Amino acid sequence: PEPAAAACSPKKCGELNVTYPFWLEEKGQTPCGSPSFQLNCNGSQALLSRSMFGGYQVVQVFPENSSFIAVDNNLPLDDGCPPWWFNISVGIGLGPFVISKKNRELLVLDNCTKEATPPGFNRTGCANESFYRLGGEYGSHRELADLPPACCLSVVPVLGFQDGDGYIPSMSQGFLLEWTVPSDDCPKCEASGGQCRYANDGTGFSCHCSGDVYPEKCGELTKIN
Ligand SMILES: *[C@@H]1O[C@H](CO)[C@@H](O)[C@H](O)[C@H]1NC(C)=O
Ligand SMILES: *[C@@H]1O[C@H](CO)[C@@H](O)[C@H](O)[C@H]1NC(C)=O
Ligand SMILES: *[C@@H]1O[C@H](CO)[C@@H](O)[C@H](O)[C@H]1NC(C)=O
Ligand SMILES: *[C@@H]1O[C@H](CO)[C@@H](O)[C@H](O)[C@H]1NC(C)=O
Ligand SMILES: *[C@@H]1O[C@H](CO)[C@@H](O)[C@H](O)[C@H]1NC(C)=O
Ligand SMILES: *[C@@H]1O[C@H](CO)[C@@H](O)[C@H](O)[C@H]1NC(C)=O
Ligand SMILES: *[C@@H]1O[C@H](CO)[C@@H](O)[C@H](O)[C@H]1NC(C)=O
């Protein structure tokens, strides 16, 4: 259905200004844009509607370089001890998002057979023996050769943490995601004084300039309406 353009203009959810390509879902309103960027405002938290258990909170968006910081509320943010450890990337699933290489890796080992702490790791405070340490650039653990083979490895992207701070606060700070669609026309549109919106079919791009709609930027030869 054709989205109601006025109702889709920038909105606020908690501390977050929700702007293109993100959009806020509202009861009884036709969708404004791409489902991947659909947000559900839970009073104060903007949650990605199409993420695992709707638990990914968007806390900061950088439209200028197509990236945002999200907190995974499915992680054990209070005590750092989940019922089981898993790789966070599993929860993102399909969609236009990739976990940025600007993140570091929080490496967690559990279910190890040997009692001793694996070298370089610190013990978590959890009931069942598990160990953590801060790794390198996100994705780099595949080159690690020194992981104890018996242990189960889980990888969580974090922005990093100081030695001694522990890993729990770093999970609450979130991690950086980058998007690859839907359009890189937005900076051009904003520079020309326009507002970025989805096109009328709800997927493409359009630039709104005081009443007129253009495909890329204000003042183009071709108008959309
Ligand atoms: C959100 O938008 C309002 C109004 O446009 C602006 O005053 C405020 O600085 C913005 N906040 C952030 C965090 O960008
Ligand atoms: C909704 O927000 C409240 C606090 O504002 C929080 O306690 C609750 O867990 C949130 N619900 C979800 C599903 O995140
Ligand atoms: C985008 O810019 C923000 C603010 O400067 C920065 O923190 C973030 O790391 C940048 N994202 C990427 C993918 O470079
Ligand atoms: C801890 O280990 C016990 C026995 O191996 C298992 O039954 C239990 O589910 C584990 N609990 C957690 C939180 O991993
Ligand atoms: C997490 O991913 C790594 C490879 O990236 C894999 O070796 C490991 O078994 C995965 N762990 C879990 C708990 O799925
Ligand atoms: C933990 O290790 C035992 C054997 O040492 C294995 O049977 C079990 O499946 C492992 N559990 C997980 C969650 O990997
Ligand atoms: C690991 O434990 C040691 C000794 O308690 C401490 O000095 C170090 O800062 C800890 N590292 C991390 C990443 O917490």
Side-chain angles (χ1 to χ4, degrees), residues 121-122 132-134 161-166:
F121 283 80
N122 278 17
Y132 73 95
R133 87 172 166 80
L134 187 62
F161 55 90
Q162 296 295 311
D163 216 28
D165 278 358

Side-chain angles (χ1 to χ4, degrees), residues 13 16 21 35 53 84 109-110 119 133 142 176 181 198 203 225:
C13 174
L16 185 74
F53 309 124
W84 66 86
L109 298 174
D110 67 348
R133 87 172 166 80
R142 286 179 191 87
L176 193 67
V181 291
Y198 288 92
T203 55
N225 64 350

Side-chain angles (χ1 to χ4, degrees), residues 16-215:
L16 185 74
N17 285 338
V18 178
T19 56
Y20 179 91
F22 291 93
W23 58 279
L24 217 50
E25 69 178 44
E26 278 173 87
K27 273 215 178 73
Q29 185 202 285
T30 50
C32 294
S34 165
S36 301
F37 294 91
Q38 183 176 344
L39 296 177
N40 176 285
C41 188
N42 168 31
S44 55
Q45 301 188 336
L47 302 154
L48 280 174
S49 305
R50 310 296 171 105
S51 61
M52 196 204 240
F53 309 124
Y56 285 73
Q57 186 194 351
V58 175
V59 292
Q60 211 178 346
V61 181
F62 309 109
E64 67 275 15
N65 59 17
S66 306
S67 64
F68 65 105
I69 294 176
V71 174
D72 183 1
N73 287 320
N74 302 311
L75 288 171
L77 301 178
D78 297 329
D79 64 357
C81 302
W84 66 86
W85 281 97
F86 59 91
N87 287 325
I88 190 174
S89 49
V90 168
I92 306 279
L94 303 168
F97 306 130
V98 292
I99 298 175
S100 175
K101 285 196 180 301
K102 283 200 161 177
N103 295 296
R104 304 274 305 268
E105 294 185 322
L106 168 65
L107 302 171
V108 181
L109 298 174
D110 67 348
N111 208 31
C112 304
T113 47
K114 271 201 279 176
E115 288 297 305
T117 302
F121 283 80
N122 278 17
R123 199 174 288 267
T124 68
C126 306
N128 284 7
E129 300 263 293
S130 55
F131 309 92
Y132 73 95
R133 87 172 166 80
L134 187 62
E137 175 186 278
Y138 187 79
S140 63
H141 69 272
R142 286 179 191 87
E143 286 116 52
L144 292 180
D146 57 346
L147 291 176
C151 305
C152 211
L153 170 71
S154 298
V155 182
V156 179
V158 292
L159 293 170
F161 55 90
Q162 296 295 311
D163 216 28
D165 278 358
Y167 64 99
I168 302 170
S170 72
M171 297 194 302
S172 307
Q173 279 158 18
F175 62 102
L176 193 67
L177 290 140
E178 297 174 36
W179 69 78
T180 50
V181 291
S183 171
D184 52 12
D185 285 335
C186 191
K188 245 187 286 176
C189 168
E190 284 181 336
S192 70
Q195 261 187 354
C196 305
R197 300 268 180 81
Y198 288 92
N200 275 347
D201 65 1
T203 55
F205 180 79
S206 68
C207 187
H208 289 235
C209 317
S210 44
D212 291 328
V213 183
Y214 297 90

